[in-house]
mmCIF file of all heavy atoms in Angstrom:
data_model
loop_
_atom_site.group_PDB
_atom_site.id
_atom_site.type_symbol
_atom_site.label_atom_id
_atom_site.label_comp_id
_atom_site.label_asym_id
_atom_site.label_seq_id
_atom_site.Cartn_x
_atom_site.Cartn_y
_atom_site.Cartn_z
ATOM 1 N N ALA A 109 2.737 -17.456 8.309
ATOM 2 C CA ALA A 109 1.371 -17.343 8.834
ATOM 3 C C ALA A 109 1.091 -18.461 9.829
ATOM 4 O O ALA A 109 0.434 -18.245 10.850
ATOM 5 C CB ALA A 109 0.369 -17.366 7.700
ATOM 6 N N ASP A 110 1.584 -19.665 9.556
ATOM 7 C CA ASP A 110 1.415 -20.781 10.494
ATOM 8 C C ASP A 110 2.179 -20.529 11.778
ATOM 9 O O ASP A 110 1.671 -20.730 12.884
ATOM 10 C CB ASP A 110 1.931 -22.083 9.856
ATOM 11 C CG ASP A 110 0.876 -22.759 8.998
ATOM 12 O OD1 ASP A 110 -0.306 -22.359 9.103
ATOM 13 O OD2 ASP A 110 1.245 -23.657 8.220
ATOM 14 N N GLN A 111 3.411 -20.061 11.642
ATOM 15 C CA GLN A 111 4.261 -19.837 12.811
ATOM 16 C C GLN A 111 3.695 -18.756 13.726
ATOM 17 O O GLN A 111 3.911 -18.780 14.945
ATOM 18 C CB GLN A 111 5.673 -19.433 12.356
ATOM 19 C CG GLN A 111 6.396 -20.520 11.579
ATOM 20 C CD GLN A 111 7.533 -19.974 10.731
ATOM 21 O OE1 GLN A 111 7.946 -18.819 10.870
ATOM 22 N NE2 GLN A 111 8.059 -20.791 9.824
ATOM 23 N N MET A 112 2.973 -17.793 13.152
ATOM 24 C CA MET A 112 2.486 -16.642 13.923
ATOM 25 C C MET A 112 0.961 -16.652 14.070
ATOM 26 O O MET A 112 0.371 -15.628 14.398
ATOM 27 C CB MET A 112 2.899 -15.342 13.224
ATOM 28 C CG MET A 112 4.381 -15.183 13.028
ATOM 29 S SD MET A 112 4.755 -13.649 12.132
ATOM 30 C CE MET A 112 6.527 -13.790 11.943
ATOM 31 N N ALA A 113 0.342 -17.803 13.859
ATOM 32 C CA ALA A 113 -1.125 -17.871 13.779
ATOM 33 C C ALA A 113 -1.826 -17.258 14.990
ATOM 34 O O ALA A 113 -2.857 -16.590 14.850
ATOM 35 C CB ALA A 113 -1.557 -19.324 13.602
ATOM 36 N N ASP A 114 -1.250 -17.429 16.182
ATOM 37 C CA ASP A 114 -1.889 -16.915 17.395
ATOM 38 C C ASP A 114 -1.842 -15.393 17.470
ATOM 39 O O ASP A 114 -2.577 -14.793 18.270
ATOM 40 C CB ASP A 114 -1.213 -17.492 18.643
ATOM 41 C CG ASP A 114 -1.463 -18.983 18.792
ATOM 42 O OD1 ASP A 114 -2.397 -19.501 18.141
ATOM 43 O OD2 ASP A 114 -0.705 -19.638 19.547
ATOM 44 N N SER A 115 -0.980 -14.763 16.679
ATOM 45 C CA SER A 115 -0.805 -13.313 16.744
ATOM 46 C C SER A 115 -1.378 -12.598 15.526
ATOM 47 O O SER A 115 -1.166 -11.396 15.359
ATOM 48 C CB SER A 115 0.691 -12.983 16.843
ATOM 49 O OG SER A 115 1.275 -13.605 17.948
ATOM 50 N N LEU A 116 -2.110 -13.334 14.667
ATOM 51 C CA LEU A 116 -2.576 -12.778 13.399
ATOM 52 C C LEU A 116 -4.075 -12.938 13.222
ATOM 53 O O LEU A 116 -4.641 -13.987 13.529
ATOM 54 C CB LEU A 116 -1.892 -13.503 12.230
ATOM 55 C CG LEU A 116 -0.498 -13.074 11.804
ATOM 56 C CD1 LEU A 116 0.083 -14.113 10.858
ATOM 57 C CD2 LEU A 116 -0.529 -11.709 11.105
ATOM 58 N N ASP A 117 -4.708 -11.906 12.706
ATOM 59 C CA ASP A 117 -6.079 -11.995 12.198
ATOM 60 C C ASP A 117 -6.070 -11.600 10.726
ATOM 61 O O ASP A 117 -5.292 -10.725 10.312
ATOM 62 C CB ASP A 117 -7.028 -11.041 12.948
ATOM 63 C CG ASP A 117 -7.335 -11.520 14.341
ATOM 64 O OD1 ASP A 117 -7.354 -12.746 14.563
ATOM 65 O OD2 ASP A 117 -7.571 -10.670 15.221
ATOM 66 N N TRP A 118 -6.943 -12.209 9.936
ATOM 67 C CA TRP A 118 -7.072 -11.905 8.512
ATOM 68 C C TRP A 118 -8.509 -11.468 8.276
ATOM 69 O O TRP A 118 -9.449 -12.221 8.520
ATOM 70 C CB TRP A 118 -6.741 -13.142 7.665
ATOM 71 C CG TRP A 118 -5.382 -13.700 7.950
ATOM 72 C CD1 TRP A 118 -5.036 -14.554 8.972
ATOM 73 C CD2 TRP A 118 -4.172 -13.450 7.224
ATOM 74 N NE1 TRP A 118 -3.694 -14.853 8.911
ATOM 75 C CE2 TRP A 118 -3.135 -14.194 7.851
ATOM 76 C CE3 TRP A 118 -3.869 -12.682 6.090
ATOM 77 C CZ2 TRP A 118 -1.822 -14.182 7.392
ATOM 78 C CZ3 TRP A 118 -2.558 -12.674 5.622
ATOM 79 C CH2 TRP A 118 -1.554 -13.419 6.275
ATOM 80 N N VAL A 119 -8.696 -10.233 7.812
ATOM 81 C CA VAL A 119 -10.024 -9.642 7.709
ATOM 82 C C VAL A 119 -10.238 -9.054 6.315
ATOM 83 O O VAL A 119 -9.391 -8.294 5.825
ATOM 84 C CB VAL A 119 -10.213 -8.513 8.770
ATOM 85 C CG1 VAL A 119 -11.571 -7.845 8.624
ATOM 86 C CG2 VAL A 119 -10.027 -9.072 10.176
ATOM 87 N N THR A 120 -11.344 -9.388 5.690
ATOM 88 C CA THR A 120 -11.710 -8.754 4.428
ATOM 89 C C THR A 120 -12.370 -7.422 4.753
ATOM 90 O O THR A 120 -13.344 -7.375 5.522
ATOM 91 C CB THR A 120 -12.684 -9.632 3.630
ATOM 92 O OG1 THR A 120 -12.102 -10.925 3.455
ATOM 93 C CG2 THR A 120 -12.979 -9.033 2.271
ATOM 94 N N GLY A 121 -11.842 -6.335 4.204
ATOM 95 C CA GLY A 121 -12.396 -5.023 4.525
ATOM 96 C C GLY A 121 -11.917 -3.946 3.576
ATOM 97 O O GLY A 121 -10.935 -4.110 2.856
ATOM 98 N N ASP A 122 -12.639 -2.831 3.587
ATOM 99 C CA ASP A 122 -12.410 -1.700 2.700
ATOM 100 C C ASP A 122 -11.665 -0.602 3.456
ATOM 101 O O ASP A 122 -12.101 -0.186 4.526
ATOM 102 C CB ASP A 122 -13.780 -1.190 2.212
ATOM 103 C CG ASP A 122 -13.676 -0.064 1.192
ATOM 104 O OD1 ASP A 122 -12.603 0.548 1.053
ATOM 105 O OD2 ASP A 122 -14.712 0.218 0.541
ATOM 106 N N ALA A 123 -10.563 -0.127 2.886
ATOM 107 C CA ALA A 123 -9.758 0.910 3.537
ATOM 108 C C ALA A 123 -10.553 2.185 3.809
ATOM 109 O O ALA A 123 -10.225 2.937 4.722
ATOM 110 C CB ALA A 123 -8.546 1.256 2.664
ATOM 111 N N MET A 124 -11.604 2.437 3.024
ATOM 112 C CA MET A 124 -12.408 3.662 3.193
ATOM 113 C C MET A 124 -13.522 3.491 4.222
ATOM 114 O O MET A 124 -14.183 4.473 4.572
ATOM 115 C CB MET A 124 -13.004 4.095 1.853
ATOM 116 C CG MET A 124 -11.964 4.438 0.796
ATOM 117 S SD MET A 124 -12.693 5.146 -0.682
ATOM 118 C CE MET A 124 -13.763 3.812 -1.242
ATOM 119 N N ALA A 125 -13.737 2.272 4.710
ATOM 120 C CA ALA A 125 -14.781 2.015 5.715
ATOM 121 C C ALA A 125 -14.335 0.804 6.530
ATOM 122 O O ALA A 125 -14.877 -0.295 6.409
ATOM 123 C CB ALA A 125 -16.127 1.759 5.048
#
Side-chain angles (χ1 to χ4, degrees):
D110 275 347
Q111 296 160 12
M112 302 177 184
D114 292 343
S115 303
L116 277 168
D117 287 329
W118 304 83
V119 177
T120 305
D122 184 344
M124 298 188 299

